[in-house]
Amino acid sequence: MEKGVLIFMSVLAVVALINFGVIRLMKVAEEKKANYRKVFWYFYGVLISISGFVNLHEKNEFNLIFILELVVGITIIVLNFFGKIETKNPT
């Protein structure tokens, strides 16, 4: 029972921190938001690429899922570099 309460409190704390961060991010200028999004997409692409690369070498076998993961990560990085992953403000 104590382990479940500890997990619940940990999840609650993480959600509260994310909520606090999102509320603070709403007050940031649009230029900084665009910069944060660009950094996020680079980080996300690198993370997926590293995950696919490590899984591919760790298993020592040809697996299409890991190659697809590597390709998707590299695609995200390239698209972000060329500016194709940008959210336009509708207003």
Side-chain angles (χ1 to χ4, degrees):
M1 180 70 180
E2 295 85 20
K3 196 174 188 180
V5 171
L6 180 64
I7 292 172
F8 174 71
M9 291 303 209
S10 301
V11 169
L12 195 63
V14 168
V15 169
L17 286 172
I18 291 172
N19 186 31
F20 178 73
V22 167
I23 289 174
R24 298 247 345 213
L25 201 61
M26 288 173 59
K27 299 175 186 176
V28 173
E30 192 62 38
E31 295 83 24
K32 275 195 169 183
K33 285 182 190 178
N35 189 26
Y36 290 156
R37 279 188 215 108
K38 187 171 277 289
V39 169
F40 167 77
W41 283 112
Y42 277 125
F43 176 74
Y44 189 65
V46 167
L47 188 68
I48 289 177
S49 297
I50 289 173
S51 174
F53 185 73
V54 167
N55 285 331
L56 193 62
H57 283 290
E58 190 175 89
K59 303 296 182 191
N60 289 331
E61 63 184 38
F62 182 78
N63 195 337
L64 188 61
I65 298 296
F66 300 144
I67 292 174
L68 183 65
E69 191 175 8
L70 184 64
V71 168
V72 167
I74 293 171
T75 304
I76 288 173
I77 293 170
V78 169
L79 288 176
N80 193 28
F81 180 75
F82 288 122
K84 301 297 182 187
I85 303 178
E86 291 182 2
T87 55
K88 306 281 189 224
N89 195 357
T91 58

